[in-house]
Amino acid sequence: MATAERLLLLLLLLAASVAWETNAHTPTVIRQQQQDGEAVAPPPLIHALRPRLGSGGQLAARAGGVACDSWRLGVEAHNVIGWRTERDRTVPARCEGYVGHYMLGSAYRRDSAVVVDEAVAYAESIRVAGDGKAIWVFDIDETSLSNLPYYAKHGFGATPYNDTSFREYVAEGSAPALPETRRLYRRLLELGVKPVFLTGRTEDQRAITVANLRRQGYTGWEKLLLKPAAHVAGGLQLSAVAYKSGERQKLQDAGFIIVGNIGDQWSDILGAPEGARTFKLPDPMYYIG
C-alpha cells in the first residue's frame, strides 16, 4: 500500500509539473497584442518565474540565502532601497536569469495589465470638469516606452549602468511602446483627460523622444517635460523625487488638476503633489532614487 501511495504522489507531482510548463508557455501576450491590433512576432517561449531560476532551494542558498523572487518583491514594495549591491541601480548578478525570464515571459505583461486595469477603472469613475485642466502624468522609460531591447543586451540590469551606451540607444528612437500603458493613454484621451509626460530624459533628447513616442502611437499630449541638459554634465543634482515632484507642483500652480500619475519607479510617484491616485508598474531591472 505504501508503494502504491508513493506512486500516486509521484504521478500527481508529474501532472502538476506539466501544468506549470503549459501555463508558462500560454501566449497571453500575443493574444492581447492581437486585440490591440498589433502585428508582432511571438515572444520567446521561456519559463517565467520557474522555481529553479533563483527563487528557492539550493540555488538560493548558494546566492547568499536571498531568493530572487523575494528580492524582487522587496524592490517593488519599496523595502529594498538602493539595492544590496556595490552600485546603485544594478540587479544582483545572481538574479540576472530570473529577471530576464520575468521580463521576457508573460508574467511581466500580466503584472502590468493588473496595474493598468485598476488605472482604467479609476479613470472611468472620475468626473472631468471639461475645462481642459484634468491631467494624468506619465513617466516614459519602462512606463510608456520599453527599453527591454537595450537591457536584454546588458544583463537585464545586472550590468552596471552606462550612461553613454544608454543614451546612444535612446538616440535610435526605436523603443517600443508598453501596450498596457498605451491602452490607458488612449482611454484617457477618450475620457477628456490630458496626458503629460514627465521624464528623466534631458532636453537635448526632446526631438528623438517626440519622434519615438509618435511612432509608437502616442499623440495628443498636453506637455512633454524633460530635465535641462545641464543634468548630463552634473550641473543640476536634484534627486529624481525632488525633480519630478517639483515639476508636478509647477503643473498644479498653473491650474492643472493631477487626477492620476503612473510610473515604474517609486521616485516617479513619491513627493507632493503626487496626484489624486498613483500607480506603480513593475520594473525589477533598475532602481532610481
Side-chain angles (χ1 to χ4, degrees), residues 44-58:
L45 294 180
I46 61 175
H47 304 284
L49 304 180
R50 289 183 67 175
R52 69 166 179 257
L53 293 175
S55 60
Q58 294 180 351

Side-chain angles (χ1 to χ4, degrees), residues 115-130:
V115 177
V116 169
D117 286 346
E118 289 299 314
V120 170
Y122 160 69
E124 292 175 342
S125 72
I126 61 178
R127 292 184 178 181
V128 179

Side-chain angles (χ1 to χ4, degrees), residues 92-134:
R94 66 181 180 272
C95 297
E96 176 183 346
Y98 173 88
V99 173
H101 279 241
Y102 171 76
M103 296 299 296
L104 293 176
S106 59
Y108 171 59
R109 182 71 182 272
R110 289 198 307 267
D111 290 349
S112 298
V114 169
V115 177
V116 169
D117 286 346
E118 289 299 314
V120 170
Y122 160 69
E124 292 175 342
S125 72
I126 61 178
R127 292 184 178 181
V128 179
D131 56 2
K133 294 298 183 180

Side-chain angles (χ1 to χ4, degrees), residues 2 8 30-31 35 49 64 72 117 177 257 259 264 269 282 287:
L8 178 59
I30 301 172
R31 287 200 300 270
Q35 291 172 6
L49 304 180
R72 183 176 69 87
D117 286 346
I257 300 172
V259 298
D264 67 295
I269 58 179
Y287 170 87

Side-chain angles (χ1 to χ4, degrees), residues 78 82-83 88-89 141 151 200 227 239-241 264-268 283 286-289:
H78 205 227
W83 301 0
D88 192 13
R89 303 174 66 177
D141 294 301
Y151 283 103
K227 286 183 177 180
S239 70
V241 172
D264 67 295
Q265 300 289 318
W266 281 96
S267 55
D268 296 328
D283 181 6
Y286 57 84
Y287 170 87
I288 299 177

